Amino acid sequence: MATNFTITREKAKCSEPKEYVFEREYKKEARRVAALEKELKEKLSQDKDLSKLKENVVFSREKEGLRIEIIDKADFSMFGLGNTKLTAKSQGLIEEIARSLSGMPNKIKVRGHTDALAFKGSDRNNWSLSAERADVTRQIITQKGVDE
């Protein structure tokens, strides 16, 4: 299970030639994203509880922007099995990420994932669980100051 935050680039609006605007804005955005990644890594390393989870947070730069993935591992799960309740550790992690994201002007996408275990004797499915988990995560980051 992973929760992805993708910080997407916004297009520049200007009367200068497109190639100059694009290059300048691209470099500005690259610096902003690099600073955000550095800030988050430092915060995770400095916090006693969150430093144990820094290996679960993966940063990657993509065409759309910076992707921040929170990966479940054997000793860490973001949510309880088959539900949308965040563990205390994962809630703290999401809140810390949200505080850093709150100053970014970029759009943010939140994606949820689940395991492959089927629900037995229920109308629920992993598709709806994934969407519900993404929404729980979205609610937390908006409560911490990230615009919808």
Side-chain angles (χ1 to χ4, degrees):
M1 204 288 298
T3 297
N4 299 313
F5 301 93
T6 304
I7 302 166
T8 58
R9 294 188 176 98
E10 294 182 351
K11 296 187 181 193
K13 296 176 185 169
C14 187
S15 60
E16 292 181 52
K18 288 182 184 178
E19 57 275 357
Y20 297 123
V21 172
F22 178 78
E23 184 177 342
R24 185 180 66 238
E25 291 301 315
Y26 181 81
K27 288 179 180 178
K28 182 178 169 183
E29 181 66 17
R31 286 190 301 272
R32 188 169 38 216
V33 166
L36 172 66
E37 181 178 346
K38 181 181 177 189
E39 175 188 339
L40 278 169
K41 285 180 176 179
E42 287 174 357
K43 284 182 177 181
L44 293 178
S45 294
Q46 293 168 359
D47 185 286
K48 183 182 77 156
D49 296 322
L50 297 180
S51 66
K52 298 171 188 170
L53 302 177
K54 66 183 178 185
E55 298 301 318
N56 298 73
V57 181
V58 178
F59 297 89
S60 58
R61 303 217 179 134
E62 300 181 349
K63 184 179 178 182
E64 289 183 312
L66 177 66
R67 175 178 281 197
I68 304 168
E69 291 184 88
I70 302 171
I71 310 292
D72 283 2
K73 293 189 178 178
D75 62 343
F76 170 76
S77 180
M78 285 191 61
F79 294 92
L81 185 61
N83 68 50
T84 60
K85 178 143 178 61
L86 282 164
T87 63
K89 286 181 183 180
S90 59
Q91 177 141 355
L93 180 58
I94 297 290
E95 289 173 353
E96 189 61 56
I97 291 171
R99 281 189 281 277
S100 294
L101 294 176
S102 66
M104 296 292 287
N106 308 63
K107 295 179 182 178
I108 297 172
K109 296 179 189 176
V110 179
R111 296 182 226 173
H113 297 274
T114 65
D115 55 35
L117 298 175
F119 288 88
K120 294 182 181 171
S122 173
D123 290 338
R124 291 191 56 133
N125 59 49
N126 282 329
W127 184 265
S128 62
L129 179 61
S130 175
E132 291 167 16
R133 286 177 170 180
D135 191 50
V136 165
T137 304
R138 180 198 58 80
Q139 289 174 32
I140 291 171
I141 54 181
T142 57
Q143 288 170 0
K144 293 298 174 187
V146 176
D147 293 333
E148 284 195 59

